[in-house]
Amino acid sequence: MNLFKISWKNLWARPWPTFMSLLLFAMGVGIISLLLIMRESLDESFKKNIRGIDMVIGAKGSPLQLILSSVYHIDNPTGNISLAEANKLKKHPLVEQGIPLAFGDNYKGFKILGTTDEYLKLYEGKIEAGNAWDHEFEVVLGGVLAERLGLKIGDEFFSNHGLIGEVNAHENHPYKVVGTLEKSGTVLDQLILTGLESIWGVHEEHEEEHDDVEEKDRDITAMLIKFRSPMGMMQLPRMVNSQTSMQAALPAIEVNRLFDLFAVGIQLIRGIAIAIMIISGISIFISLYNNLLDRKYELALMRSLGATRPELFMMIVLEGLMIAIIGYIAGILMSRLGIQILDSLIQTNYRYDLDVLSSMQEEGFLLIASLILGVLAAFLPALNAWRTDIAETLSS
């Protein structure tokens, strides 16, 4: 007697209850898997991009906005700061490194960042083709941009004022592509990099066109600071915030604060997903139990023809396991489809990529939990099948 084949046919003898149980189970697994991938992908991306950055200084405003704009490049900057004042802090004995950032333009929605070659070293950026910028208005494209923008080495383009949109183009100073970077999985992938002089040169031209007053001092948007010792963490943020016109923000603290803001919502969605899975388990139980009542004469006949109690028990348990396994596979496919859709939305709005094909250890635990739920849902119906009395059932 092929128990697997009999269990499979029993399931699909009642297609609608089986389909509803599968759908509920897949939804629960899919939502939990989606949350796990999102959390892992965002957590890894956020931690990778703050590596080597102990503090960020910028204009007064929201510290979280300063971190999001200067480290992750997904928000507007809080304003500009004086390069001279930032460089003064950079020379502090407790500061090991200070990397200046200047931005305010884009090309087709991708941010053009003026900085030094220390920024490439910070993210371990490697030149894939061409070379790094040496002169004004030379740019290097991030690993993802060269493919998306279709630009090659030697091509020229004009930047647009602002961080989004294609208006107010700086048509007097074309940028020239001199190199492309390997994909690194960091913010480098989404940036167009150039020297600080290029950003200043373009905006001085822009200000003259709008009859603004020319400034003698250079401005930058932010500076990424690395401390020489832990004492920097204790002293410098307070000193910057109280004694300068700048603001100091600590990436580790702000990122934790950001995740705390999302934590309540994530826990709520996860609770809903677990509730859906439990409801699915109850649905499997009801489906199998009702199916068992309809098949009690069939089971009694199987016993009379030689089927043992353990075989009937295993047949019902197999039905629960089949729903759990098929529901798990369907749920994982649903989560990957959901990640693909979210990836497209995030790419469009924030220029970030998610790892849509990633697999996680937690999904292995989710499979084990699904199998346990399938067995538990089938246990009582299987126990009733075990207790089937041949004489009593057939005589009735």
Side-chain angles (χ1 to χ4, degrees), residues 139-283:
V139 300
V140 171
L141 303 180
V144 174
L145 291 191
E147 296 174 2
R148 291 188 183 169
L149 295 176
L151 292 174
K152 303 182 296 295
I153 293 175
D155 287 349
E156 294 185 347
F157 64 87
F158 295 103
S159 63
N160 298 286
H161 194 59
L163 299 180
I164 57 173
E166 298 183 16
V167 294
N168 299 325
H170 300 293
E171 295 180 345
N172 293 329
H173 290 296
Y175 283 102
K176 182 179 180 181
V177 180
V178 296
T180 59
L181 297 174
E182 294 180 5
K183 293 179 182 177
S184 61
T186 66
V187 291
L188 285 184
D189 290 342
Q190 307 289 342
L191 294 172
I192 300 172
L193 299 164
T194 185
L196 290 167
E197 296 77 10
S198 303
I199 302 296
W200 292 331
V202 166
H203 286 90
E204 284 171 358
E205 183 75 17
H206 181 77
E207 287 166 2
E208 286 173 3
E209 288 174 0
H210 290 78
D211 297 324
D212 287 340
V213 178
E214 184 179 357
E215 295 182 1
K216 293 180 180 179
D217 295 331
R218 298 295 190 187
D219 285 345
I220 58 174
T221 310
M223 181 174 279
L224 309 180
I225 300 291
K226 182 179 181 182
F227 298 138
R228 194 178 298 279
S229 78
M231 286 300 294
M233 186 76 75
M234 304 291 292
Q235 296 182 11
L236 291 182
R238 184 181 303 174
M239 187 197 79
V240 171
N241 288 327
S242 62
Q243 299 179 17
T244 72
S245 62
M246 302 181 295
Q247 170 190 209
L250 303 176
I253 292 177
E254 296 304 323
V255 168
N256 286 334
R257 195 160 68 90
L258 182 64
F259 275 93
D260 286 343
L261 292 175
F262 287 122
V264 175
I266 290 174
Q267 288 176 359
L268 178 63
I269 297 173
R270 186 183 301 165
I272 292 173
I274 292 173
I276 291 174
M277 285 191 69
I278 293 173
I279 293 171
S280 169
I282 296 172
S283 172

Side-chain angles (χ1 to χ4, degrees), residues 92-121:
H92 193 282
L94 292 176
V95 174
E96 179 180 331
Q97 185 183 47
I99 303 175
L101 307 178
F103 47 86
D105 289 343
N106 80 91
Y107 176 66
K108 293 187 175 179
F110 291 97
K111 186 180 287 186
I112 300 174
L113 178 66
T115 184
T116 65
D117 57 358
E118 291 176 310
Y119 192 75
L120 284 178
K121 294 175 183 173

Side-chain angles (χ1 to χ4, degrees), residues 36 61 75 150 241 286 298 325 336:
L36 288 173
D75 201 351
N241 288 327
I286 294 172
E298 176 190 330
I325 293 171
R336 294 303 185 275

